[in-house]
Amino acid sequence: MKDQLFAVIDVETTGGGINGNRLTEICIVLLRGEKVVDKFTSLINPEKEIPRQITGLTGIDNSMVADAPKFYEVAKKVEELTRDAIFVAHNVNFDYNVLRNEFRELGFEYNRRKLCTVRLSRKLIPGLFSYSLGRLCDSINIPLNNRHRAEGDTDATVILFQRLLSLDDDYRVINSFLHARSRQATLPPHIDAEQVHSLPESPGIYLFKDRQHKVIYAGKAIDIKKRVVSHFYDRMSKEYELGQETFHIDHETTGSELVALLLEAECIRKYYPKFNRAQKRPGPVYQIISYTNQRGILQLALERTNKLRESVSTFYSRALAQEKLEYLCREYKLCPKYCSLQSNVEECSHYEIISCEGICSGTENAENYNEKVVAASLSLSEESSTFVIREKGRHFEEEAFVLVQDGKYRGFGFIDKEVQVSSPEDYEPFLKPQTATYHTYKILSNYLRKQGAPKVIFFENSEEAKMVRPAARANKNAMVMASHQTLSLFS
């Protein structure tokens, strides 16, 4: 290792994520062991505009690179200089991936072993407040001139790397970092390997947090450790940026995927993490509303909205809401015209619903008709079911449960298998209350459709009747129908 060739490298770029980055400057310093043996530095014409904010950071503008060589003109020199060397950089994945992408544009696959001086510093110089190049150099008295220019940053990184080599005189740490299967080789710079090593291999959620412990990503997994590590192998720009901003990883085991999905939805709603895209916006809901028209007739109508309002009932699909309106018309002999199933007609003439008793033609009085509308509206709230889903717990002595009461998702919890329950109230001491949203509805609806009845316990809604009726729900097709009804309401 004393005769090993190291290429300490820094690049400046146009910005725009890994895949959109183009080089504007590169500096390579070759070390044989701890001794500098060669140096190459050059501006690079990126063949695209340099954004003003990048010029403000690096001082490199479009005029400076106009006559500079394009990357293909220096590619052979870069490849030859680094051919037998270990690629060393501060936050190495950034510099390495940008350079590798430049070579790929030329049809050449660039592969080198690599070392990160951020991760090496965290290991060999522990306890510092920050491991950014500027702060690190200040902490251990390394001169850093011409900051955010390739040569200035590379010169400082060379001194830093020489000190790290002196602190690892038997090369034990460096060799462990170079090992192909080393966690250190793939983890982002600010994450302690022990955080990842201690993650459980079981279902649950994980939270990526920034330096200030703000949640920037929430995810769910069947195997938490495996899923977290997979983020760091992904070379997409989004995943790379997520890794660069992650300093801490928290997790919570759930025992089952269902509870993990529900808890993930709650975390996204609560923290609105920067790197989560899905579930940030509420999906559209369809509400059956009622109002009294100028003739004093109670009308039912279907309204699409992203905000929950006072309504007769709420659905998460237009087809289900329409189906329910048609059912109410037939069952309670309502008028299709006054249920928004027909428009621009004097009298109803629905092709399928012929049970109207004449409110539209004047043969039925408004008082009688309104009583039927009220009865139909009340029936919707009465059909909202109360049930519990029982799932695997976090260990063999407990079970997880999800409570839906009167059609509304209440939350989840964990209960000892030995605890006897006979009513929804028995679950209350163990319940972790959660917020019902469009996304929790979709999760539960999909679960009921796919899993069927074996894990679901239904309760009668009346206070007197406390025992379950599982036999009536044993058929999976019946469960599919139930999932459309029992989860139709938020409130």
Side-chain angles (χ1 to χ4, degrees):
M1 185 63 75
K2 288 183 178 180
D3 294 324
Q4 174 64 50
L5 196 62
F6 298 100
V8 182
I9 299 174
D10 185 78
V11 301
E12 301 302 329
T13 73
T14 59
I18 292 178
N19 296 325
N21 260 348
R22 296 301 304 271
L23 285 178
T24 59
E25 190 175 36
I26 185 170
C27 182
I28 303 171
V29 175
L30 286 185
L31 280 74
R32 181 76 66 182
E34 297 181 28
K35 183 180 179 181
V36 175
V37 294
D38 203 352
K39 185 176 186 178
F40 169 75
T41 184
S42 176
L43 288 167
I44 304 291
N45 186 334
E47 301 182 77
K48 65 184 293 188
E49 291 292 311
I50 300 174
R52 282 183 296 176
Q53 66 270 22
I54 298 297
T55 297
L57 178 68
T58 66
I60 302 172
D61 59 24
N62 293 307
S63 62
M64 288 176 62
V65 299
D67 297 323
K70 297 179 176 62
F71 180 72
Y72 75 87
E73 297 177 89
V74 300
K76 183 177 180 181
K77 175 76 171 177
V78 171
E79 196 281 326
E80 289 176 346
L81 277 173
T82 63
R83 183 176 297 168
D84 299 315
I86 294 171
F87 193 111
V88 180
H90 203 71
N91 194 0
V92 70
N93 285 335
F94 175 80
D95 302 81
Y96 181 79
N97 285 316
V98 170
L99 198 56
R100 186 166 63 173
N101 285 341
E102 290 282 2
F103 275 107
R104 281 179 177 169
E105 289 292 319
L106 303 178
F108 181 83
E109 195 62 33
Y110 182 83
N111 290 300
R112 300 289 186 270
R113 291 190 297 167
K114 57 186 189 290
L115 284 171
C116 179
T117 53
V118 177
R119 300 203 62 79
L120 282 170
S121 298
R122 290 174 66 90
K123 185 73 173 180
L124 295 169
I125 315 174
L128 299 181
F129 174 74
S130 171
Y131 289 86
S132 68
L133 186 60
R135 295 280 184 87
L136 185 54
C137 288
D138 285 343
S139 299
I140 59 177
N141 298 315
I142 291 176
L144 177 53
N145 301 313
N146 214 5
R147 183 77 172 102
H148 295 303
R149 289 296 300 270
E151 186 170 14
D153 287 354
T154 303
D155 287 344
T157 305
V158 167
I159 298 171
L160 171 62
F161 186 57
Q162 289 170 327
R163 292 197 185 179
L164 293 171
L165 287 171
S166 69
L167 293 171
D168 188 32
D169 52 7
D170 59 357
Y171 300 103
R172 182 179 58 84
V173 173
I174 286 176
N175 281 322
S176 71
F177 276 51
L178 288 170
H179 192 278
R181 296 185 178 275
S182 170
R183 293 188 184 91
Q184 302 282 2
T186 57
L187 294 181
H190 309 298
I191 299 174
D192 188 345
E194 187 56 35
Q195 287 189 66
V196 177
H197 179 67
S198 62
L199 291 172
E201 298 175 347
S202 55
I205 61 111
Y206 55 93
L207 303 175
F208 286 178
K209 298 182 176 182
D210 64 13
R211 187 194 297 273
Q212 286 75 39
H213 288 268
K214 179 181 179 181
V215 176
I216 57 175
Y217 184 81
K220 74 90 189 173
I222 297 175
D223 182 325
I224 294 175
K225 179 186 286 187
K226 183 177 180 180
R227 183 68 186 98
V228 166
V229 171
S230 73
H231 284 282
F232 308 139
Y233 281 103
D234 196 322
R235 293 307 177 202
M236 292 178 63
S237 289
K238 176 191 169 186
E239 296 288 356
Y240 172 80
E241 291 167 9
L242 173 61
Q244 295 305 297
E245 294 189 32
T246 300
F247 283 73
H248 313 280
I249 302 173
D250 285 349
H251 70 276
E252 182 174 341
T253 58
T254 60
S256 74
E257 184 180 15
L258 172 62
V259 176
L261 283 165
L262 292 168
L263 185 53
E264 177 194 38
E266 174 67 12
C267 287
I268 294 172
R269 184 200 67 80
K270 181 178 180 181
Y271 298 115
Y272 207 76
K274 173 181 177 179
F275 286 94
N276 284 97
R277 293 181 182 175
Q279 300 191 36
K280 279 190 172 181
R281 295 183 179 180
V285 296
Y286 299 87
Q287 295 188 306
I288 297 176
I289 61 172
S290 65
Y291 63 94
T292 304
N293 67 16
Q294 292 179 343
R295 292 179 54 192
I297 299 171
L298 268 177
Q299 288 195 217
L300 296 179
L302 189 59
E303 180 183 64
R304 183 184 186 274
T305 179
N306 286 322
K307 294 182 179 180
L308 293 175
R309 300 182 177 90
E310 191 70 28
S311 67
V312 175
S313 188
T314 301
F315 298 83
Y316 301 91
S317 124
R318 184 179 185 86
L320 288 175
Q322 185 93 1
E323 180 183 322
K324 181 57 66 177
L325 272 176
E326 292 173 359
Y327 165 80
L328 293 176
C329 271
R330 287 190 294 266
E331 188 73 11
Y332 291 90
K333 298 182 179 180
L334 303 182
C335 176
K337 173 184 174 181
Y338 292 126
C339 288
S340 303
L341 298 174
Q342 281 190 292
S343 59
N344 301 321
V345 295
E346 290 294 325
E347 298 180 10
C348 68
S349 56
H350 198 276
Y351 71 97
E352 189 177 58
I353 302 171
I354 55 174
S355 53
C356 175
E357 294 183 317
I359 185 66
C360 56
S361 62
T363 58
E364 181 182 19
N365 64 58
E367 183 179 358
N368 183 67
Y369 182 81
N370 288 349
E371 288 179 358
K372 294 190 296 183
V373 175
V374 171
S377 299
L378 288 174
S379 72
L380 289 176
S381 61
E382 290 173 355
E383 74 179 16
S384 298
S385 297
T386 295
F387 61 92
V388 165
I389 300 173
R390 300 291 288 262
E391 268 286 352
K392 291 180 180 179
R394 297 160 298 185
H395 51 79
F396 71 93
E397 294 180 343
E398 74 173 11
E399 287 184 332
F401 70 89
V402 176
L403 176 62
V404 174
Q405 199 161 19
D406 297 330
K408 179 183 178 182
Y409 168 58
R410 292 280 315 284
F412 65 87
F414 301 94
I415 191 168
D416 198 70
K417 287 182 178 180
E418 302 301 319
V419 176
Q420 296 296 313
V421 291
S422 59
S423 73
E425 289 73 26
D426 293 335
Y427 289 95
E428 290 289 342
F430 310 97
L431 184 69
K432 296 182 177 180
Q434 305 289 301
T435 301
T437 67
Y438 168 83
H439 301 293
T440 57
Y441 160 79
K442 296 293 288 184
I443 292 166
L444 291 171
S445 182
N446 288 338
Y447 177 91
L448 292 173
R449 186 174 65 253
K450 293 177 182 178
Q451 299 297 325
K455 297 179 180 180
V456 183
I457 301 173
F458 279 85
F459 295 88
E460 296 291 350
N461 284 352
S462 64
E463 292 185 3
E464 295 81 8
K466 294 230 177 181
M467 204 43 225
V468 301
R469 40 189 169 94
R473 304 288 181 173
N475 185 284
K476 185 172 182 178
N477 292 328
M479 179 61 70
V480 173
M481 295 298 294
S483 72
H484 294 328
Q485 291 186 25
T486 59
L487 296 172
S488 64
L489 295 173
F490 273 134
S491 56

